[in-house]
Amino acid sequence: MKIFKAFLEKFNKLKIFVDDFTQFRPYNFQIQNGNSQLSIKNYSIVENDIMLTLTEEVNIKNSCFLNYEYLSEKVWFFPLFSTEEFDDKFYHDLTLGAIYNKNYTIFRIWSPAASNINLLLYDTAESSDSENLRRFVMKENNGLWSILIKEDLQGSYYNYEVNVYNDISEIVDPYVKAVGINGLRGAIIDIGKTNPEGWEHDRSPELKNYTDAIIYETSIRDISTHPHSGVKHKGKFLALTEENTLSNNKIPTCLNHIKELGVTHIQFMPIFDFSYTSVDEKNPYSYNWGYDPQNYNVPEGSYSTNPYDPSYRIFELKKMIFYIHKNNLSINMDVVYNHVADAISSSFKKVFPGYYFRFLDNTNLSNGSGCGNDTASEHSMMRKFIVDSVMYWAKEYHIDGFRFDLMGLHDIDTMNSIRKKLDELKRPIMLYGEGWDLNTPLARNIKAIDSNSKKLSPIGFFNDKIRDCVKGSVFDIEDKGFATGKFFMENILKKSISSYFLLPSQSINYVSCHDNYTLWDKIDLSCKYESFDDKKRIVKLCASIILASQGIPFIYSGEEFCRTKNGDHNSYNKPDNINWLDWDRKSDFMDVFYYYQKLIHIRKNHPAFRMIKIEDIEKNLTFVENTPNNTVAFTIKNNANGDTWKDILVLLNANKENITLTIPEGPWNIALDSNSDVNNEIVLGPTIVMNKISSCILFKL
Ligand code: CA
């Protein structure tokens, strides 16, 4: 008989996969747990697997082996970590990390697997021959290790020395809030002293309903590094504190540009501390988006003007947030709890192997993230870590929204716990993410994926259906969508315009984001034979659809002036000159920029585009029947959602020729015509001639 795998299902129950259970003889088995030999009380055969019940419990501080004849098989503990039994014994709800006070600091770290943990105190952020190291033995209470040091430790650095399964390693506290250069040691600071002047008066802009938000995705580096950005602190948090910046052509840039555009929320790509192997904080020459988390609760050092001072990056990020809020914009942050930069060197792995990551039955780490280490949000202490981290950013940094990278790798309970805790803060904090269904060992019905959106309310999902139906699949360069001339897309587009979800606020409507080709590049590649002018028309048509649809519109920065990455579809580690916003290009595409601006203005002034209940959409939004191929027309009636306009008519023509549309009886006033700057024209009906690749918003008072 061959043992394939052995798992610990309960503290005293083992499940064994074997090739032939008929040959199983319990007296030939030995179970070695550290120095102890455990005895088998009884066994049963369940399907082809053998369940062993032991006379005593396995001590998880020691590794466990199943010896049979000449074979020895490791017993894997990870199934135990999902059980109530495990949580009853080891779950802790206390605040973890270093809790600083002037007269003492309490340190707490969790690991039921560790046989001992020492606190290491240093006086420097980096190791050196002359460093002063002090070592303190911590005490354990059911997996929770703690120590109180009666000193003012402000200015000191710390790490933990953990001994797990006789493996001794030094780790950075997963809960660390401040770090030295490159995030290799924790720093003990008085967080109260990191506040910029006026921080106590910092207030987020008002947001009545989530559907009032218009999200603008950018990165600290992309928005400011171009030589003509007019920004002094290029690539730094402080770039977004510079007001009234202009390009060489005297056109607003950076924060000034975002204000001019009129969006409500800036979504920043990772601003938490990402791996120093991607961007060295000492010499941040290389570029990286930062989807490789190193210290979750610390701002990224390369975005600070002084990453050597642990307080400074915190101060500068807060200062940026303060200025953005002062300019009536909100801040959403991109969070990446689904994997870590490197599982092997991560504190999670070293402090408690097997607990924080998800394993497949073959005992390989699960790889739904594509990074080879999906975190196990379904484990209570990992869930607690995520919830604590989000709450920390919301409270300490006044963050207004969280965009979850690969949210579909998390479980429903985790996302709903976050929603519930954020709601307790009594301010409208956005929560949304990528609800893709990825290959991770979590039952489909508990994954935070878009098909489970009814169980995740009100949490938003990136709407890939509208993205792909408007401009074509992201997985096929040449594929087209409604706006680029693909036939028979009308019905799927209609479904997107009126929202798929239980709540409109669950639909994040977009045509481009940091992933894949920029909108301009996608159009360029899929419509090789279109003229330059027609490509611009397509961009405008895409914008009209996204901004006139029910849900929450999302714009990738630069989309509004036809951003290009020169055909690069995955620029995560490409140089600045691929990723930056080229402010000279804005001058070249002012017509497109102004069109986005007008659409945003209309959306912000007309709540009919921002309905909050599906019933209202069903009642007020009607598609015009029997319109020609490749056109969609709809009305929003009855002063919907308190709108000053009684009726609204939206017309979309994706045809490459002019089309005559029959419209509901006029007179209609033209609010915005993608072909013309003339406003306030009257259309009497019953027909209207639409120019090729164009859109029109009309209204009746
Ligand atoms: Ca870093």
Side-chain angles (χ1 to χ4, degrees):
M1 185 186 79
K2 187 175 173 352
I3 305 166
F4 292 124
K5 292 286 172 206
F7 298 104
L8 192 63
E9 300 265 305
K10 287 187 166 191
F11 284 104
N12 67 342
K13 271 197 185 356
L14 265 63
K15 187 182 194 175
I16 314 170
F17 294 170
V18 294
D19 60 346
D20 182 2
F21 64 85
T22 59
Q23 291 180 36
F24 174 70
R25 306 286 177 271
Y27 45 82
N28 286 341
F29 267 82
Q30 263 194 348
I31 296 150
Q32 189 74 36
N33 181 205
N35 293 327
S36 314
Q37 289 226 0
L38 308 181
S39 324
I40 298 169
K41 192 172 164 193
N42 56 50
Y43 75 95
S44 58
I45 311 284
V46 183
E47 291 175 0
N48 293 322
D49 310 327
I50 301 164
M51 297 293 294
L52 299 182
T53 304
L54 310 179
T55 52
E56 51 206 308
E57 296 191 340
V58 169
N59 178 357
I60 62 158
K61 286 195 190 308
N62 297 317
S63 43
C64 188
F65 287 91
L66 202 57
N67 301 324
Y68 178 75
E69 292 173 353
Y70 302 105
L71 302 167
S72 182
E73 191 63 42
K74 179 180 169 167
V75 177
W76 293 84
F77 293 167
F78 62 80
L80 175 77
F81 304 147
S82 305
T83 63
E84 261 180 54
E85 206 188 349
F86 178 83
D87 282 347
D88 286 347
K89 202 163 178 173
F90 291 121
Y91 179 78
H92 285 274
D93 202 23
L94 281 172
T95 305
L96 298 177
I99 305 146
Y100 168 82
N101 286 281
K102 184 141 184 55
N103 301 321
Y104 63 90
T105 299
I106 299 170
F107 296 86
R108 291 198 194 111
I109 181 162
W110 182 79
S111 174
S115 51
N116 60 279
I117 300 186
N118 298 324
L119 168 70
L120 307 178
L121 285 179
Y122 298 99
D123 51 7
T124 53
E126 292 183 277
S127 57
S128 73
D129 296 340
S130 61
E131 71 187 355
N132 179 18
L133 162 66
R134 292 188 289 160
R135 185 181 265 104
F136 300 87
V137 177
M138 298 178 80
K139 281 215 174 88
E140 186 195 4
N141 173 21
N142 289 340
L144 183 73
W145 298 79
S146 53
I147 191 166
L148 184 149
I149 305 289
K150 270 195 197 162
E151 283 175 39
D152 184 354
L153 289 179
Q154 195 179 172
S156 297
Y157 294 86
Y158 77 107
N159 272 344
Y160 294 117
E161 185 176 55
V162 297
N163 182 346
V164 185
Y165 308 135
N166 296 322
D167 226 349
I168 298 174
S169 42
E170 179 170 341
I171 63 162
V172 180
D173 183 358
Y175 271 83
V176 75
K177 291 173 176 164
V179 294
I181 186 81
N182 279 331
L184 297 169
R185 280 182 185 169
I188 301 158
I189 61 161
D190 182 349
I191 196 95
K193 289 188 181 162
T194 60
N195 296 343
E197 207 186 318
W199 184 245
E200 64 280 13
H201 304 299
D202 177 61
R203 293 288 174 274
S204 300
E206 221 177 276
L207 181 72
K208 224 170 115 205
N209 300 301
Y210 291 124
T211 47
D212 297 345
I214 301 172
I215 303 169
Y216 186 77
E217 183 193 36
T218 195
S219 99
I220 299 292
R221 227 161 136 155
D222 294 7
I223 195 139
S224 62
T225 38
H226 189 270
H228 298 166
S229 66
V231 167
K232 202 170 119 210
H233 298 99
K234 291 186 170 63
K236 307 293 175 194
F237 291 130
L238 292 186
L240 278 294
T241 64
E242 296 178 40
E243 295 170 304
N244 307 316
T245 53
L246 298 174
S247 74
N248 285 17
N249 302 330
K250 303 291 169 236
I251 282 169
T253 60
C254 212
L255 184 60
N256 202 12
H257 167 80
I258 302 174
K259 272 169 64 184
E260 188 190 22
L261 183 61
V263 296
T264 64
H265 286 64
I266 308 177
Q267 177 191 304
F268 283 107
M269 290 160 71
I271 51 173
F272 55 76
D273 181 26
F274 49 81
S275 176
Y276 72 97
T277 59
S278 311
V279 179
D280 180 357
E281 296 178 357
K282 290 180 178 176
N283 178 22
Y285 178 74
S286 60
Y287 177 99
N288 205 287
W289 284 346
Y291 290 85
D292 45 1
Q294 189 177 326
N295 293 298
Y296 281 101
N297 298 328
V298 180
E300 163 58 18
S302 65
Y303 295 153
S304 169
T305 60
N306 182 6
Y308 290 90
D309 178 339
S311 296
Y312 221 68
R313 58 177 81 187
I314 300 174
F315 163 74
E316 289 183 325
L317 175 56
K318 284 179 173 175
K319 191 170 172 185
M320 178 190 94
I321 291 165
F322 182 69
Y323 269 81
I324 291 174
H325 281 164
K326 195 161 78 82
N327 282 287
N328 204 30
L329 287 156
S330 300
I331 296 133
N332 295 353
M333 77 181 268
D334 203 330
V335 289
V336 188
Y337 297 107
N338 64 73
H339 73 276
V340 300
D342 174 27
I344 305 300
S345 66
S346 95
S347 300
F348 283 149
K349 156 82 168 43
K350 288 178 173 171
V351 76
F352 191 173
Y355 186 81
Y356 290 101
F357 298 104
R358 226 171 251 158
F359 286 84
L360 301 167
D361 279 348
N362 65 7
T363 66
N364 287 339
L365 283 169
S366 149
N367 187 23
S369 61
C371 303
N373 60 77
D374 306 343
T375 54
S377 61
E378 69 279 19
H379 290 168
S380 317
M381 290 301 281
M382 182 65 209
R383 176 177 301 149
K384 173 181 159 59
F385 179 82
I386 299 173
V387 174
D388 287 350
S389 177
V390 168
M391 293 307 287
Y392 173 68
W393 284 102
K395 287 200 263 190
E396 185 65 37
Y397 289 88
H398 307 175
I399 295 291
D400 305 303
F402 295 89
R403 177 265 184 199
F404 269 68
D405 188 61
L406 305 184
M407 182 170 73
L409 288 176
H410 298 308
D411 63 296
I412 284 175
D413 284 351
T414 297
M415 294 313 301
N416 284 333
S417 311
I418 296 166
R419 181 69 276 170
K420 200 165 148 250
K421 290 290 276 186
L422 287 174
D423 288 344
E424 287 170 12
L425 298 181
K426 304 281 178 214
R427 61 186 182 94
I429 300 181
M430 301 184 76
L431 183 59
Y432 56 100
E434 295 177 309
W436 323 137
D437 187 2
L438 299 163
N439 186 17
T440 195
L442 204 58
R444 201 162 187 276
N445 63 336
I446 61 162
K447 283 179 173 177
I449 52 178
D450 46 14
S451 57
N452 289 328
S453 64
K454 287 189 173 66
K455 300 182 214 166
L456 286 151
S457 176
I459 293 172
F461 295 84
F462 280 87
N463 185 344
D464 57 342
K465 295 185 188 73
I466 196 166
R467 179 195 69 193
D468 290 356
C469 93
V470 171
K471 62 145 193 195
S473 165
V474 295
F475 302 112
D476 177 355
I477 297 180
E478 288 177 11
D479 189 43
K480 296 185 185 189
F482 173 82
T484 38
K486 193 172 183 176
F487 276 66
F488 311 118
M489 299 307 283
E490 298 89 339
N491 286 337
I492 178 164
L493 180 58
K494 286 178 186 174
K495 190 87 188 76
S496 292
I497 288 169
S498 53
S499 182
Y500 281 97
F501 294 89
L502 193 63
L503 289 169
S505 63
Q506 289 187 277
S507 188
I508 308 294
N509 296 327
Y510 73 118
V511 281
S512 77
C513 67
H514 66 270
D515 283 319
N516 311 119
Y517 294 108
T518 66
L519 178 60
W520 181 260
D521 288 348
K522 170 74 180 171
I523 295 168
D524 215 23
L525 289 160
S526 59
C527 304
K528 290 195 185 81
Y529 305 108
E530 308 292 341
S531 68
F532 178 76
D533 268 353
D534 282 357
K535 284 176 191 163
K536 286 206 289 185
R537 286 166 173 273
I538 293 169
V539 173
K540 289 182 184 175
L541 182 57
C542 291
S544 307
I545 295 168
I546 294 305
L547 284 150
S549 289
Q550 300 296 322
I552 299 172
F554 171 106
I555 299 165
Y556 181 44
S557 53
E559 195 187 290
E560 71 281 15
F561 50 88
C562 304
R563 178 175 184 175
T564 177
K565 292 181 185 172
N566 299 328
D568 195 311
H569 71 107
N570 185 12
S571 63
Y572 80 99
N573 63 353
K574 301 292 160 59
D576 282 303
N577 64 7
I578 298 288
N579 282 290
W580 66 33
L581 288 174
D582 175 353
W583 294 106
D584 292 338
R585 195 171 170 90
K586 183 182 170 188
S587 316
D588 298 339
F589 290 86
M590 281 312 278
D591 56 329
V592 179
F593 169 75
Y594 285 135
Y595 187 71
Y596 267 81
Q597 194 188 39
K598 283 179 198 159
L599 277 170
I600 290 168
H601 184 78
I602 290 176
R603 185 177 175 93
K604 280 167 84 177
N605 283 291
H606 292 282
F609 296 106
R610 317 190 306 259
M611 285 185 266
I612 46 185
K613 285 187 274 177
I614 286 293
E615 304 86 79
D616 289 343
I617 297 174
E618 284 167 354
K619 200 173 80 194
N620 302 317
L621 193 153
T622 316
F623 290 95
V624 178
E625 306 262 345
N626 301 320
T627 59
N629 285 342
N630 309 323
T631 66
V632 167
F634 60 95
T635 55
I636 310 175
K637 292 194 171 172
N638 317 315
N639 299 93
N641 201 21
D643 209 300
T644 52
W645 288 346
K646 185 168 171 294
D647 296 340
I648 299 172
L649 175 63
V650 178
L651 308 173
L652 308 166
N653 176 26
N655 289 292
K656 294 184 183 91
E657 61 266 5
N658 297 357
I659 283 281
T660 303
L661 276 179
T662 304
I663 55 169
E665 199 184 313
W668 293 97
N669 305 283
I670 294 182
L672 183 62
D673 178 350
S674 66
N675 277 298
S676 137
D677 289 334
V678 183
N679 286 336
N680 306 322
E681 242 182 279
I682 305 291
V683 179
L684 293 172
T687 60
I688 184 172
V689 179
M690 292 281 294
N691 280 308
K692 66 172 180 176
I693 320 172
S694 70
S695 57
C696 201
I697 299 174
L698 307 97
F699 68 94
K700 285 182 193 170
L701 279 172

